[in-house]
PDB file of all heavy atoms in Angstrom:
ATOM      1  N   ALA A 532      -6.018 -47.669  90.456  1.00  0.00           N
ATOM      2  CA  ALA A 532      -5.682 -47.653  89.025  1.00  0.00           C
ATOM      3  C   ALA A 532      -4.197 -47.989  88.833  1.00  0.00           C
ATOM      4  O   ALA A 532      -3.831 -48.740  87.922  1.00  0.00           O
ATOM      5  CB  ALA A 532      -6.016 -46.287  88.431  1.00  0.00           C
ATOM      6  N   LEU A 533      -3.362 -47.447  89.712  1.00  0.00           N
ATOM      7  CA  LEU A 533      -1.920 -47.708  89.627  1.00  0.00           C
ATOM      8  C   LEU A 533      -1.624 -49.201  89.823  1.00  0.00           C
ATOM      9  O   LEU A 533      -0.886 -49.809  89.030  1.00  0.00           O
ATOM     10  CB  LEU A 533      -1.198 -46.854  90.688  1.00  0.00           C
ATOM     11  CG  LEU A 533       0.267 -47.125  90.965  1.00  0.00           C
ATOM     12  CD1 LEU A 533       1.117 -46.954  89.708  1.00  0.00           C
ATOM     13  CD2 LEU A 533       0.783 -46.176  92.064  1.00  0.00           C
ATOM     14  N   GLU A 534      -2.227 -49.793  90.851  1.00  0.00           N
ATOM     15  CA  GLU A 534      -1.977 -51.215  91.116  1.00  0.00           C
ATOM     16  C   GLU A 534      -2.545 -52.082  89.982  1.00  0.00           C
ATOM     17  O   GLU A 534      -1.893 -53.048  89.550  1.00  0.00           O
ATOM     18  CB  GLU A 534      -2.569 -51.613  92.475  1.00  0.00           C
ATOM     19  CG  GLU A 534      -2.432 -53.076  92.840  1.00  0.00           C
ATOM     20  CD  GLU A 534      -0.989 -53.599  92.974  1.00  0.00           C
ATOM     21  OE1 GLU A 534      -0.045 -52.779  92.981  1.00  0.00           O
ATOM     22  OE2 GLU A 534      -0.823 -54.828  93.051  1.00  0.00           O
ATOM     23  N   ALA A 535      -3.722 -51.721  89.491  1.00  0.00           N
ATOM     24  CA  ALA A 535      -4.305 -52.490  88.374  1.00  0.00           C
ATOM     25  C   ALA A 535      -3.363 -52.427  87.165  1.00  0.00           C
ATOM     26  O   ALA A 535      -3.116 -53.440  86.504  1.00  0.00           O
ATOM     27  CB  ALA A 535      -5.686 -51.933  88.023  1.00  0.00           C
ATOM     28  N   ALA A 536      -2.795 -51.246  86.913  1.00  0.00           N
ATOM     29  CA  ALA A 536      -1.870 -51.096  85.769  1.00  0.00           C
ATOM     30  C   ALA A 536      -0.621 -51.959  85.971  1.00  0.00           C
ATOM     31  O   ALA A 536      -0.139 -52.606  85.041  1.00  0.00           O
ATOM     32  CB  ALA A 536      -1.489 -49.629  85.614  1.00  0.00           C
ATOM     33  N   ARG A 537      -0.124 -51.986  87.207  1.00  0.00           N
ATOM     34  CA  ARG A 537       1.072 -52.815  87.481  1.00  0.00           C
ATOM     35  C   ARG A 537       0.804 -54.279  87.172  1.00  0.00           C
ATOM     36  O   ARG A 537       1.609 -54.956  86.553  1.00  0.00           O
ATOM     37  CB  ARG A 537       1.444 -52.706  88.966  1.00  0.00           C
ATOM     38  CG  ARG A 537       2.105 -51.420  89.365  1.00  0.00           C
ATOM     39  CD  ARG A 537       2.469 -51.593  90.848  1.00  0.00           C
ATOM     40  NE  ARG A 537       2.954 -50.391  91.432  1.00  0.00           N
ATOM     41  CZ  ARG A 537       2.441 -49.827  92.528  1.00  0.00           C
ATOM     42  NH1 ARG A 537       1.398 -50.343  93.144  1.00  0.00           N
ATOM     43  NH2 ARG A 537       2.972 -48.730  93.009  1.00  0.00           N
ATOM     44  N   ILE A 538      -0.374 -54.759  87.615  1.00  0.00           N
ATOM     45  CA  ILE A 538      -0.702 -56.175  87.408  1.00  0.00           C
ATOM     46  C   ILE A 538      -0.823 -56.470  85.907  1.00  0.00           C
ATOM     47  O   ILE A 538      -0.334 -57.487  85.419  1.00  0.00           O
ATOM     48  CB  ILE A 538      -2.043 -56.537  88.125  1.00  0.00           C
ATOM     49  CG1 ILE A 538      -1.967 -56.201  89.609  1.00  0.00           C
ATOM     50  CG2 ILE A 538      -2.438 -57.980  87.868  1.00  0.00           C
ATOM     51  CD1 ILE A 538      -1.223 -57.173  90.474  1.00  0.00           C
ATOM     52  N   ILE A 539      -1.452 -55.549  85.187  1.00  0.00           N
ATOM     53  CA  ILE A 539      -1.625 -55.745  83.736  1.00  0.00           C
ATOM     54  C   ILE A 539      -0.257 -55.900  83.066  1.00  0.00           C
ATOM     55  O   ILE A 539      -0.041 -56.778  82.234  1.00  0.00           O
ATOM     56  CB  ILE A 539      -2.444 -54.577  83.124  1.00  0.00           C
ATOM     57  CG1 ILE A 539      -3.901 -54.664  83.610  1.00  0.00           C
ATOM     58  CG2 ILE A 539      -2.363 -54.574  81.595  1.00  0.00           C
ATOM     59  CD1 ILE A 539      -4.736 -53.419  83.380  1.00  0.00           C
ATOM     60  N   VAL A 540       0.689 -55.039  83.491  1.00  0.00           N
ATOM     61  CA  VAL A 540       2.030 -55.086  82.878  1.00  0.00           C
ATOM     62  C   VAL A 540       2.798 -56.322  83.363  1.00  0.00           C
ATOM     63  O   VAL A 540       3.337 -57.090  82.553  1.00  0.00           O
ATOM     64  CB  VAL A 540       2.806 -53.781  83.192  1.00  0.00           C
ATOM     65  CG1 VAL A 540       4.258 -53.885  82.732  1.00  0.00           C
ATOM     66  CG2 VAL A 540       2.110 -52.590  82.534  1.00  0.00           C
ATOM     67  N   GLU A 541       2.809 -56.552  84.676  1.00  0.00           N
ATOM     68  CA  GLU A 541       3.594 -57.677  85.224  1.00  0.00           C
ATOM     69  C   GLU A 541       3.103 -59.021  84.712  1.00  0.00           C
ATOM     70  O   GLU A 541       3.892 -59.908  84.412  1.00  0.00           O
ATOM     71  CB  GLU A 541       3.472 -57.691  86.755  1.00  0.00           C
ATOM     72  CG  GLU A 541       4.300 -56.636  87.426  1.00  0.00           C
ATOM     73  CD  GLU A 541       3.925 -56.471  88.908  1.00  0.00           C
ATOM     74  OE1 GLU A 541       3.027 -57.193  89.412  1.00  0.00           O
ATOM     75  OE2 GLU A 541       4.517 -55.615  89.545  1.00  0.00           O
ATOM     76  N   GLU A 542       1.769 -59.155  84.630  1.00  0.00           N
ATOM     77  CA  GLU A 542       1.224 -60.449  84.212  1.00  0.00           C
ATOM     78  C   GLU A 542       1.011 -60.506  82.697  1.00  0.00           C
ATOM     79  O   GLU A 542       0.405 -61.437  82.189  1.00  0.00           O
ATOM     80  CB  GLU A 542      -0.078 -60.739  84.982  1.00  0.00           C
ATOM     81  CG  GLU A 542       0.178 -60.817  86.481  1.00  0.00           C
ATOM     82  CD  GLU A 542      -1.008 -61.370  87.270  1.00  0.00           C
ATOM     83  OE1 GLU A 542      -1.964 -61.872  86.660  1.00  0.00           O
ATOM     84  OE2 GLU A 542      -0.949 -61.280  88.513  1.00  0.00           O
ATOM     85  N   LYS A 543       1.515 -59.466  82.040  1.00  0.00           N
ATOM     86  CA  LYS A 543       1.424 -59.387  80.559  1.00  0.00           C
ATOM     87  C   LYS A 543       0.009 -59.728  80.078  1.00  0.00           C
ATOM     88  O   LYS A 543      -0.194 -60.563  79.191  1.00  0.00           O
ATOM     89  CB  LYS A 543       2.434 -60.348  79.917  1.00  0.00           C
ATOM     90  CG  LYS A 543       3.888 -60.038  80.268  1.00  0.00           C
ATOM     91  CD  LYS A 543       4.820 -60.896  79.418  1.00  0.00           C
ATOM     92  CE  LYS A 543       6.284 -60.575  79.611  1.00  0.00           C
ATOM     93  NZ  LYS A 543       6.814 -60.660  80.960  1.00  0.00           N
ATOM     94  N   ILE A 544      -0.962 -59.092  80.706  1.00  0.00           N
ATOM     95  CA  ILE A 544      -2.366 -59.342  80.330  1.00  0.00           C
ATOM     96  C   ILE A 544      -2.646 -58.654  78.988  1.00  0.00           C
ATOM     97  O   ILE A 544      -2.465 -57.437  78.858  1.00  0.00           O
ATOM     98  CB  ILE A 544      -3.322 -58.831  81.437  1.00  0.00           C
ATOM     99  CG1 ILE A 544      -3.056 -59.609  82.730  1.00  0.00           C
ATOM    100  CG2 ILE A 544      -4.772 -58.962  81.002  1.00  0.00           C
ATOM    101  CD1 ILE A 544      -3.733 -59.068  83.956  1.00  0.00           C
ATOM    102  N   ALA A 545      -3.044 -59.456  78.017  1.00  0.00           N
ATOM    103  CA  ALA A 545      -3.255 -58.920  76.669  1.00  0.00           C
ATOM    104  C   ALA A 545      -4.446 -57.959  76.666  1.00  0.00           C
ATOM    105  O   ALA A 545      -5.462 -58.222  77.299  1.00  0.00           O
ATOM    106  CB  ALA A 545      -3.504 -60.071  75.699  1.00  0.00           C
ATOM    107  N   HIS A 546      -4.286 -56.820  76.018  1.00  0.00           N
ATOM    108  CA  HIS A 546      -5.432 -55.910  75.837  1.00  0.00           C
ATOM    109  C   HIS A 546      -5.308 -55.231  74.483  1.00  0.00           C
ATOM    110  O   HIS A 546      -4.248 -54.777  74.098  1.00  0.00           O
ATOM    111  CB  HIS A 546      -5.529 -54.891  76.988  1.00  0.00           C
ATOM    112  CG  HIS A 546      -4.291 -54.101  77.247  1.00  0.00           C
ATOM    113  ND1 HIS A 546      -4.122 -52.820  76.799  1.00  0.00           N
ATOM    114  CD2 HIS A 546      -3.154 -54.418  77.898  1.00  0.00           C
ATOM    115  CE1 HIS A 546      -2.933 -52.368  77.184  1.00  0.00           C
ATOM    116  NE2 HIS A 546      -2.323 -53.326  77.839  1.00  0.00           N
ATOM    117  N   ARG A 547      -6.437 -55.241  73.797  1.00  0.00           N
ATOM    118  CA  ARG A 547      -6.493 -54.642  72.472  1.00  0.00           C
ATOM    119  C   ARG A 547      -6.478 -53.108  72.580  1.00  0.00           C
ATOM    120  O   ARG A 547      -5.810 -52.410  71.856  1.00  0.00           O
ATOM    121  CB  ARG A 547      -7.831 -55.068  71.835  1.00  0.00           C
ATOM    122  CG  ARG A 547      -7.725 -55.605  70.420  1.00  0.00           C
ATOM    123  CD  ARG A 547      -9.030 -56.271  70.054  1.00  0.00           C
ATOM    124  NE  ARG A 547     -10.184 -55.402  70.185  1.00  0.00           N
ATOM    125  CZ  ARG A 547     -10.518 -54.446  69.342  1.00  0.00           C
ATOM    126  NH1 ARG A 547      -9.795 -54.202  68.271  1.00  0.00           N
ATOM    127  NH2 ARG A 547     -11.607 -53.723  69.544  1.00  0.00           N
ATOM    128  N   ARG A 548      -7.260 -52.625  73.535  1.00  0.00           N
ATOM    129  CA  ARG A 548      -7.413 -51.168  73.640  1.00  0.00           C
ATOM    130  C   ARG A 548      -6.337 -50.564  74.536  1.00  0.00           C
ATOM    131  O   ARG A 548      -5.886 -51.232  75.472  1.00  0.00           O
ATOM    132  CB  ARG A 548      -8.763 -50.818  74.275  1.00  0.00           C
ATOM    133  CG  ARG A 548      -9.917 -51.368  73.517  1.00  0.00           C
ATOM    134  CD  ARG A 548     -11.205 -51.031  74.229  1.00  0.00           C
ATOM    135  NE  ARG A 548     -12.326 -51.664  73.572  1.00  0.00           N
ATOM    136  CZ  ARG A 548     -12.817 -51.303  72.412  1.00  0.00           C
ATOM    137  NH1 ARG A 548     -12.276 -50.274  71.774  1.00  0.00           N
ATOM    138  NH2 ARG A 548     -13.836 -51.927  71.867  1.00  0.00           N
ATOM    139  N   PRO A 549      -5.977 -49.305  74.286  1.00  0.00           N
ATOM    140  CA  PRO A 549      -5.074 -48.630  75.236  1.00  0.00           C
ATOM    141  C   PRO A 549      -5.763 -48.535  76.603  1.00  0.00           C
ATOM    142  O   PRO A 549      -6.991 -48.430  76.673  1.00  0.00           O
ATOM    143  CB  PRO A 549      -4.905 -47.226  74.645  1.00  0.00           C
ATOM    144  CG  PRO A 549      -5.462 -47.285  73.264  1.00  0.00           C
ATOM    145  CD  PRO A 549      -6.412 -48.426  73.195  1.00  0.00           C
ATOM    146  N   ILE A 550      -4.978 -48.598  77.661  1.00  0.00           N
ATOM    147  CA  ILE A 550      -5.521 -48.409  79.020  1.00  0.00           C
ATOM    148  C   ILE A 550      -4.863 -47.156  79.585  1.00  0.00           C
ATOM    149  O   ILE A 550      -3.636 -47.054  79.637  1.00  0.00           O
ATOM    150  CB  ILE A 550      -5.246 -49.645  79.896  1.00  0.00           C
ATOM    151  CG1 ILE A 550      -6.011 -50.860  79.323  1.00  0.00           C
ATOM    152  CG2 ILE A 550      -5.645 -49.385  81.346  1.00  0.00           C
ATOM    153  CD1 ILE A 550      -5.756 -52.174  80.038  1.00  0.00           C
ATOM    154  N   ASP A 551      -5.686 -46.198  79.979  1.00  0.00           N
ATOM    155  CA  ASP A 551      -5.171 -44.922  80.497  1.00  0.00           C
ATOM    156  C   ASP A 551      -5.431 -44.792  81.990  1.00  0.00           C
ATOM    157  O   ASP A 551      -6.553 -45.026  82.448  1.00  0.00           O
ATOM    158  CB  ASP A 551      -5.870 -43.736  79.801  1.00  0.00           C
ATOM    159  CG  ASP A 551      -5.484 -43.619  78.336  1.00  0.00           C
ATOM    160  OD1 ASP A 551      -4.483 -44.238  77.933  1.00  0.00           O
ATOM    161  OD2 ASP A 551      -6.204 -42.902  77.610  1.00  0.00           O
ATOM    162  N   ILE A 552      -4.405 -44.398  82.717  1.00  0.00           N
ATOM    163  CA  ILE A 552      -4.551 -44.118  84.151  1.00  0.00           C
ATOM    164  C   ILE A 552      -4.573 -42.592  84.258  1.00  0.00           C
ATOM    165  O   ILE A 552      -3.679 -41.916  83.735  1.00  0.00           O
ATOM    166  CB  ILE A 552      -3.360 -44.705  84.962  1.00  0.00           C
ATOM    167  CG1 ILE A 552      -3.283 -46.221  84.755  1.00  0.00           C
ATOM    168  CG2 ILE A 552      -3.477 -44.382  86.442  1.00  0.00           C
ATOM    169  CD1 ILE A 552      -2.419 -46.666  83.612  1.00  0.00           C
ATOM    170  N   VAL A 553      -5.601 -42.040  84.930  1.00  0.00           N
ATOM    171  CA  VAL A 553      -5.714 -40.578  84.957  1.00  0.00           C
ATOM    172  C   VAL A 553      -5.757 -40.032  86.384  1.00  0.00           C
ATOM    173  O   VAL A 553      -6.259 -40.682  87.303  1.00  0.00           O
ATOM    174  CB  VAL A 553      -6.969 -40.066  84.201  1.00  0.00           C
ATOM    175  CG1 VAL A 553      -6.818 -40.256  82.715  1.00  0.00           C
ATOM    176  CG2 VAL A 553      -8.220 -40.728  84.703  1.00  0.00           C
ATOM    177  N   VAL A 554      -5.212 -38.827  86.509  1.00  0.00           N
ATOM    178  CA  VAL A 554      -5.340 -38.076  87.768  1.00  0.00           C
ATOM    179  C   VAL A 554      -5.977 -36.737  87.400  1.00  0.00           C
ATOM    180  O   VAL A 554      -5.385 -35.942  86.660  1.00  0.00           O
ATOM    181  CB  VAL A 554      -3.969 -37.851  88.456  1.00  0.00           C
ATOM    182  CG1 VAL A 554      -4.161 -37.087  89.759  1.00  0.00           C
ATOM    183  CG2 VAL A 554      -3.246 -39.170  88.703  1.00  0.00           C
ATOM    184  N   PHE A 555      -7.186 -36.523  87.886  1.00  0.00           N
ATOM    185  CA  PHE A 555      -7.889 -35.264  87.593  1.00  0.00           C
ATOM    186  C   PHE A 555      -7.432 -34.185  88.562  1.00  0.00           C
ATOM    187  O   PHE A 555      -7.230 -34.457  89.753  1.00  0.00           O
ATOM    188  CB  PHE A 555      -9.403 -35.452  87.745  1.00  0.00           C
ATOM    189  CG  PHE A 555      -9.988 -36.414  86.752  1.00  0.00           C
ATOM    190  CD1 PHE A 555     -10.425 -37.660  87.150  1.00  0.00           C
ATOM    191  CD2 PHE A 555     -10.104 -36.068  85.413  1.00  0.00           C
ATOM    192  CE1 PHE A 555     -10.975 -38.555  86.239  1.00  0.00           C
ATOM    193  CE2 PHE A 555     -10.644 -36.954  84.487  1.00  0.00           C
ATOM    194  CZ  PHE A 555     -11.079 -38.201  84.908  1.00  0.00           C
ATOM    195  N   ALA A 556      -7.317 -32.955  88.071  1.00  0.00           N
ATOM    196  CA  ALA A 556      -6.873 -31.840  88.915  1.00  0.00           C
ATOM    197  C   ALA A 556      -8.068 -31.082  89.501  1.00  0.00           C
ATOM    198  O   ALA A 556      -9.140 -31.019  88.884  1.00  0.00           O
ATOM    199  CB  ALA A 556      -6.027 -30.893  88.071  1.00  0.00           C
ATOM    200  N   GLU A 557      -7.861 -30.517  90.677  1.00  0.00           N
ATOM    201  CA  GLU A 557      -8.849 -29.630  91.338  1.00  0.00           C
ATOM    202  C   GLU A 557     -10.251 -30.253  91.372  1.00  0.00           C
ATOM    203  O   GLU A 557     -11.241 -29.613  91.034  1.00  0.00           O
ATOM    204  CB  GLU A 557      -8.868 -28.249  90.658  1.00  0.00           C
ATOM    205  CG  GLU A 557      -9.664 -27.156  91.370  1.00  0.00           C
ATOM    206  CD  GLU A 557      -9.108 -26.711  92.718  1.00  0.00           C
ATOM    207  OE1 GLU A 557      -8.134 -27.322  93.204  1.00  0.00           O
ATOM    208  OE2 GLU A 557      -9.653 -25.759  93.285  1.00  0.00           O
ATOM    209  N   GLU A 558     -10.321 -31.510  91.823  1.00  0.00           N
ATOM    210  CA  GLU A 558     -11.634 -32.146  91.979  1.00  0.00           C
ATOM    211  C   GLU A 558     -12.407 -31.467  93.096  1.00  0.00           C
ATOM    212  O   GLU A 558     -13.603 -31.225  92.999  1.00  0.00           O
ATOM    213  CB  GLU A 558     -11.456 -33.644  92.284  1.00  0.00           C
ATOM    214  CG  GLU A 558     -12.746 -34.448  92.201  1.00  0.00           C
ATOM    215  CD  GLU A 558     -13.538 -34.532  93.485  1.00  0.00           C
ATOM    216  OE1 GLU A 558     -13.045 -34.087  94.544  1.00  0.00           O
ATOM    217  OE2 GLU A 558     -14.671 -35.010  93.456  1.00  0.00           O
ATOM    218  N   GLU A 559     -11.696 -31.171  94.203  1.00  0.00           N
ATOM    219  CA  GLU A 559     -12.390 -30.657  95.389  1.00  0.00           C
ATOM    220  C   GLU A 559     -12.784 -29.181  95.277  1.00  0.00           C
ATOM    221  O   GLU A 559     -13.684 -28.735  95.966  1.00  0.00           O
ATOM    222  CB  GLU A 559     -11.491 -30.818  96.631  1.00  0.00           C
ATOM    223  CG  GLU A 559     -11.112 -32.256  96.946  1.00  0.00           C
ATOM    224  CD  GLU A 559     -12.277 -33.059  97.530  1.00  0.00           C
ATOM    225  OE1 GLU A 559     -13.404 -32.551  97.575  1.00  0.00           O
ATOM    226  OE2 GLU A 559     -12.028 -34.207  97.922  1.00  0.00           O
ATOM    227  N   GLY A 560     -12.043 -28.436  94.485  1.00  0.00           N
ATOM    228  CA  GLY A 560     -12.295 -26.993  94.449  1.00  0.00           C
ATOM    229  C   GLY A 560     -11.779 -26.287  95.690  1.00  0.00           C
ATOM    230  O   GLY A 560     -12.168 -25.152  95.973  1.00  0.00           O
ATOM    231  N   ALA A 561     -10.903 -26.953  96.453  1.00  0.00           N
ATOM    232  CA  ALA A 561     -10.449 -26.370  97.725  1.00  0.00           C
ATOM    233  C   ALA A 561      -9.483 -25.208  97.517  1.00  0.00           C
ATOM    234  O   ALA A 561      -9.393 -24.321  98.348  1.00  0.00           O
ATOM    235  CB  ALA A 561      -9.782 -27.442  98.591  1.00  0.00           C
ATOM    236  N   ARG A 562      -8.756 -25.207  96.401  1.00  0.00           N
ATOM    237  CA  ARG A 562      -7.844 -24.077  96.174  1.00  0.00           C
ATOM    238  C   ARG A 562      -8.500 -22.984  95.335  1.00  0.00           C
ATOM    239  O   ARG A 562      -8.372 -21.804  95.642  1.00  0.00           O
ATOM    240  CB  ARG A 562      -6.554 -24.564  95.481  1.00  0.00           C
ATOM    241  CG  ARG A 562      -5.641 -23.406  95.120  1.00  0.00           C
ATOM    242  CD  ARG A 562      -4.236 -23.771  94.760  1.00  0.00           C
ATOM    243  NE  ARG A 562      -3.496 -22.563  94.394  1.00  0.00           N
ATOM    244  CZ  ARG A 562      -2.305 -22.556  93.830  1.00  0.00           C
ATOM    245  NH1 ARG A 562      -1.675 -23.687  93.591  1.00  0.00           N
ATOM    246  NH2 ARG A 562      -1.717 -21.409  93.529  1.00  0.00           N
ATOM    247  N   PHE A 563      -9.203 -23.366  94.271  1.00  0.00           N
ATOM    248  CA  PHE A 563      -9.708 -22.359  93.326  1.00  0.00           C
ATOM    249  C   PHE A 563     -11.218 -22.145  93.427  1.00  0.00           C
ATOM    250  O   PHE A 563     -11.812 -21.478  92.576  1.00  0.00           O
ATOM    251  CB  PHE A 563      -9.308 -22.746  91.894  1.00  0.00           C
ATOM    252  CG  PHE A 563      -7.817 -22.642  91.672  1.00  0.00           C
ATOM    253  CD1 PHE A 563      -6.995 -23.750  91.828  1.00  0.00           C
ATOM    254  CD2 PHE A 563      -7.235 -21.424  91.368  1.00  0.00           C
ATOM    255  CE1 PHE A 563      -5.620 -23.653  91.663  1.00  0.00           C
ATOM    256  CE2 PHE A 563      -5.864 -21.314  91.193  1.00  0.00           C
ATOM    257  CZ  PHE A 563      -5.046 -22.431  91.346  1.00  0.00           C
ATOM    258  N   ASN A 564     -11.849 -22.739  94.469  1.00  0.00           N
ATOM    259  CA  ASN A 564     -13.278 -22.546  94.687  1.00  0.00           C
ATOM    260  C   ASN A 564     -14.092 -22.987  93.465  1.00  0.00           C
ATOM    261  O   ASN A 564     -15.100 -22.357  93.130  1.00  0.00           O
ATOM    262  CB  ASN A 564     -13.553 -21.060  95.026  1.00  0.00           C
ATOM    263  CG  ASN A 564     -14.885 -20.868  95.716  1.00  0.00           C
ATOM    264  OD1 ASN A 564     -15.414 -21.811  96.314  1.00  0.00           O
ATOM    265  ND2 ASN A 564     -15.450 -19.678  95.618  1.00  0.00           N
TER     266      ASN A 564
END
Side-chain angles (χ1 to χ4, degrees):
L533 169 59
E534 177 62 11
R537 285 184 188 125
I538 304 282
I539 290 166
V540 172
E541 284 167 1
E542 299 191 10
K543 299 189 175 57
I544 298 170
H546 54 100
R547 228 167 56 76
R548 302 178 185 288
I550 295 176
D551 291 344
I552 301 91
V553 290
V554 181
F555 295 108
E557 190 66 354
E558 191 271 352
E559 299 287 7
R562 175 165 178 191
F563 292 94
N564 200 23

